Amino acid sequence: MAANSSPRGPILSIKPFLKWAGGKRWLVDRPEFKIPQYSGKYIEPFVGGGAVFFSHAPTQGIISDANSRLIDTYIAIKNDWRAVVANLEEHQKLHSKDYYYEMRSSKFEELHLRASQFLYLNRACWNGLYRENLRGEFNVPIGTKSKIVMDDDNFEYVSKVLQKTQILNEDFSVAISHATEGDLIFVDPPYTVAHNFNGFIKYNQNIFSWNDQIRLRDCLVDAKQRGARIMLTNASHDSIRELYSQLSSPIEITRASVIAGSSKNRVKTSELLYVV
Ligand SMILES: C[S@@+](CC[C@H](N)C(=O)[O-])C[C@H]1O[C@@H](n2cnc3c(N)ncnc32)[C@H](O)[C@@H]1O
């Protein structure tokens, strides 16, 4: 990423430590991707695995997500990364098929134990997928990877980046409402479109409806009027172009992506990037 005068600490950027559906690690490495200049705080209302947040490592920021287990994990690492890592090392020692399913159904009270459970399941589960059943229980089967503690883990550094960050477990509208003049909002919602008839879109509609997309656009228009800058990614689809037509024109970014976890199923997909 090119250097710019936006507020970042004297710290190096790091890659995300979670595997996350829709993660934007690939985007950070693209030449089209440049964090626009801003003078205030950095706000990411759909932080997920935080690929952009951790690569940018802002000195002052707000991250937020609707997933409370994810957000608790960030809070635990911010508060006491050593306790989280010590317990993750225990999971590594005990890892097996039976242990995975035992951990998947276990409930812990203490924050650091819940965080290391979340990290363990994220690293040991099928394809790093996050999915819950109707009772709100994580229900992804075991995957093929058995490395739980990674050589390039640096939770001390993650914790340092999080020290100057406010961490919220809220709907996107709350995080965006904090944006004022000079701030930058990086927006990466679940992708849904107004009209398309394949299963993927239908599945995602339960998570993020077309009404949510309209609500998001309206929050962003308000934030822009308050003087914030916005960087937004979304699906390359006519309904999205139409939704944001008053705001600006997007750049289309094409990439090879893997469908259903197999490199045999490599297809070209496009996404839209707006910088306002
Ligand atoms: C595409 S992912 C973000 C990926 C992230 N940019 C990354 O690099 O990992 C979208 C995120 O939006 C969150 N989300 C879904 N609905 C939300 C809502 N109404 N408000 C806030 N977050 C929401 C999901 O939990 C998910 O983490």
Side-chain angles (χ1 to χ4, degrees):
M1 196 188 309
N4 68 38
S5 63
S6 299
R8 306 177 53 160
I11 41 184
L12 298 168
S13 64
I14 40 173
K15 71 181 180 68
F17 54 87
L18 291 168
K19 213 163 180 259
W20 205 253
K24 288 295 173 294
R25 174 71 195 164
W26 65 271
L27 181 64
V28 168
D29 294 334
R30 293 290 296 249
E32 301 94 326
F33 182 81
K34 281 194 185 68
I35 296 272
Q37 290 200 0
Y38 67 102
S39 54
K41 55 190 182 298
Y42 173 91
I43 302 175
E44 196 168 332
F46 301 93
V47 70
V52 172
F53 170 76
F54 285 112
S55 88
H56 180 48
T59 46
Q60 195 198 352
I62 300 176
I63 56 172
S64 185
D65 200 283
N67 185 322
S68 61
R69 289 177 190 165
L70 169 75
I71 289 302
D72 279 353
T73 301
Y74 286 134
I75 295 172
I77 295 169
K78 177 178 178 173
N79 292 354
D80 190 354
W81 66 270
R82 285 187 181 85
V84 176
V85 169
N87 196 242
L88 193 63
E89 283 166 357
E90 278 302 299
H91 288 313
Q92 175 73 81
K93 276 188 217 143
L94 298 169
H95 176 61
S96 69
K97 188 175 175 195
D98 288 348
Y99 184 75
Y100 174 85
Y101 287 102
E102 188 190 323
M103 276 304 113
R104 199 179 77 163
S105 59
S106 299
K107 290 202 180 356
F108 297 99
E109 278 295 311
E110 287 176 81
L111 191 64
H112 73 282
L113 298 182
R114 283 192 273 127
S116 56
Q117 176 192 31
F118 187 85
L119 286 166
Y120 169 64
L121 295 175
N122 180 266
R123 290 174 172 192
C125 78
W126 181 254
N127 238 354
L129 191 74
Y130 190 89
R131 192 185 59 206
E132 291 179 354
N133 62 21
L134 290 173
R135 290 188 300 279
E137 297 157 346
F138 180 78
N139 69 352
V140 180
I142 192 167
T144 52
K145 306 234 165 80
S146 55
K147 202 155 166 53
I148 307 303
V149 175
M150 308 292 173
D151 299 336
D152 58 357
D153 276 341
N154 191 344
F155 289 104
E156 179 176 8
Y157 191 71
V158 170
S159 179
K160 198 170 167 183
V161 175
L162 291 172
Q163 292 309 310
K164 289 186 178 152
T165 306
Q166 196 182 344
I167 306 174
L168 305 177
N169 173 213
E170 299 282 0
D171 179 64
F172 61 82
S173 55
V174 177
I176 295 174
S177 72
H178 288 278
T180 53
E181 183 155 12
D183 292 348
L184 173 70
I185 317 172
F186 174 70
V187 187
D188 182 26
Y191 289 1
T192 41
V193 294
H195 42 82
N196 205 331
F197 303 104
N198 66 41
F200 171 73
I201 300 294
K202 202 165 167 213
Y203 170 74
N204 264 14
Q205 281 285 3
N206 299 332
I207 303 166
F208 204 74
S209 68
W210 183 248
N211 274 344
D212 289 325
Q213 291 283 8
I214 294 172
R215 209 162 55 84
L216 173 61
R217 190 268 323 269
D218 293 345
C219 288
L220 294 175
V221 168
D222 289 350
K224 184 177 180 257
Q225 274 164 7
R226 296 195 299 274
R229 297 209 68 179
I230 296 155
M231 199 178 200
L232 163 85
T233 64
N234 215 315
S236 176
H237 194 270
D238 286 348
S239 61
I240 299 293
R241 288 175 192 276
E242 214 176 296
L243 186 66
Y244 285 98
S245 59
Q246 302 296 314
L247 212 59
S248 95
S249 311
I251 309 168
E252 179 143 4
I253 304 184
T254 303
R255 67 184 182 116
S257 65
V258 173
I259 298 220
S262 164
S263 54
K264 277 186 234 145
N265 303 331
R266 227 166 231 287
V267 292
K268 284 217 168 215
T269 58
S270 289
E271 302 187 22
L272 302 181
L273 177 67
Y274 290 85
V275 182
V276 186

